[in-house]
Amino acid sequence: MELMKAIEQRRSIRKFKSDEVESEIIKQLLEAAQLAPSGSNIQPWRFMAVTSEGMRAKLTECTLGMNFIAKAPLTMVCCTDLAASEAKGERVMELKNAGAFKDTPLENVDVSLYKEKSKLDDAANLAYLNLNTAIAIEQMILRGTDLGLGSCWVMMFSQRKVKQLLNLPENIHVVALVPFGYPDQDPKPRPRIPMEQIFLGEV
């Protein structure tokens, strides 16, 4: 599917057929996320695939009435590794060695100095890491659309309950639950505010 077509066809789907999402399809979703860009190439995203009927039902209980999660054959638990920033120096060095900075002012960057100067407080670090993870999630969602899957961002859930259910470590922060499946509905395009309202102009 051509990219713009996938963007246009993507909808929030809340009714799914019972058809299984095959392991190979799950792999392709993960590959799309893996290729996402991230600041300093830190790649903080982490994913868990929930496919069993029993676990899907338990995961639904961690949300605020999002019962369609139990019906979706796959829910990706999309997370951020809060410790990813600690490897920033290593990730930047990988970029440098790969030639990403060639012929730019960053070509001679002092990695140790860069790491020190780019430190953030906890709240800013969480926001920064989650922003990077969101890019990977959206790439996964668009790849799902390309493969004929529907999906829906779900953010109304208990962080504590999801982490307890899935036995996630302290450094893992759950950003979103994204159910995937073959759509059992065909929603119309959603209303969008006019272009004039989102485009602030050219200077």
Side-chain angles (χ1 to χ4, degrees):
M1 184 184 293
E2 193 268 332
L3 175 59
M4 196 61 196
K5 186 175 180 181
I7 292 172
E8 290 171 348
Q9 289 190 0
R10 186 217 60 80
R11 300 282 187 274
S12 293
I13 298 297
R14 298 176 179 85
K15 290 181 67 178
F16 301 95
K17 297 177 182 177
S18 59
D19 304 54
E20 174 188 0
V21 176
E22 302 85 354
S23 296
E24 177 57 33
I25 298 295
I26 295 174
K27 180 182 177 185
Q28 291 186 51
L29 295 176
L30 292 168
E31 287 173 342
Q34 185 183 32
L35 292 170
S38 59
S40 302
N41 204 34
I42 53 174
Q43 306 165 76
W45 44 78
R46 306 290 182 264
F47 301 97
M48 180 175 283
V50 176
T51 57
S52 72
E53 186 175 354
M55 189 60 79
R56 281 159 28 205
K58 290 179 181 178
L59 189 60
T60 297
E61 294 173 3
C62 300
T63 72
L64 298 179
M66 303 295 161
N67 296 333
F68 57 90
I69 285 180
K71 303 291 185 181
L74 162 69
T75 290
M76 281 291 190
V77 181
C78 306
C79 307
T80 287
D81 183 352
L82 301 179
S85 294
E86 296 172 11
K88 187 177 288 186
E90 183 181 346
R91 298 285 84 80
V92 170
M93 183 59 75
E94 289 171 351
L95 286 176
K96 186 176 179 181
N97 292 340
F101 302 148
K102 186 172 176 57
D103 299 326
T104 76
L106 292 174
E107 187 168 12
N108 299 311
V109 65
D110 183 331
V111 174
S112 60
L113 193 61
Y114 173 86
K115 182 181 177 183
E116 185 63 32
K117 285 189 173 182
S118 61
K119 280 186 177 178
L120 302 169
D121 62 40
D122 288 346
N125 187 55
L126 176 61
Y128 174 71
L129 293 175
N130 283 350
L131 177 62
N132 284 278
T133 297
I135 298 170
I137 296 171
E138 188 62 13
Q139 289 204 178
M140 177 182 285
I141 285 172
L142 289 176
R143 180 58 173 146
T145 302
D146 183 37
L147 294 167
L149 297 174
S151 60
C152 183
W153 281 77
V154 173
M155 300 182 71
M156 297 174 66
F157 60 86
S158 165
Q159 182 81 208
R160 177 184 57 81
K161 289 180 179 179
V162 172
K163 290 186 68 168
Q164 284 180 349
L165 174 65
L166 301 175
N167 196 29
L168 297 173
E170 187 66 29
N171 60 297
I172 296 297
H173 176 84
V174 184
V175 178
L177 309 177
V178 182
F180 283 93
Y182 296 96
D184 197 21
Q185 60 179 153
D186 185 19
K188 294 179 181 179
R190 304 311 195 211
R192 288 293 181 263
I193 60 177
M195 186 67 71
E196 295 77 15
Q197 195 169 334
I198 67 171
F199 182 50
L200 300 179
E202 183 176 340
V203 295

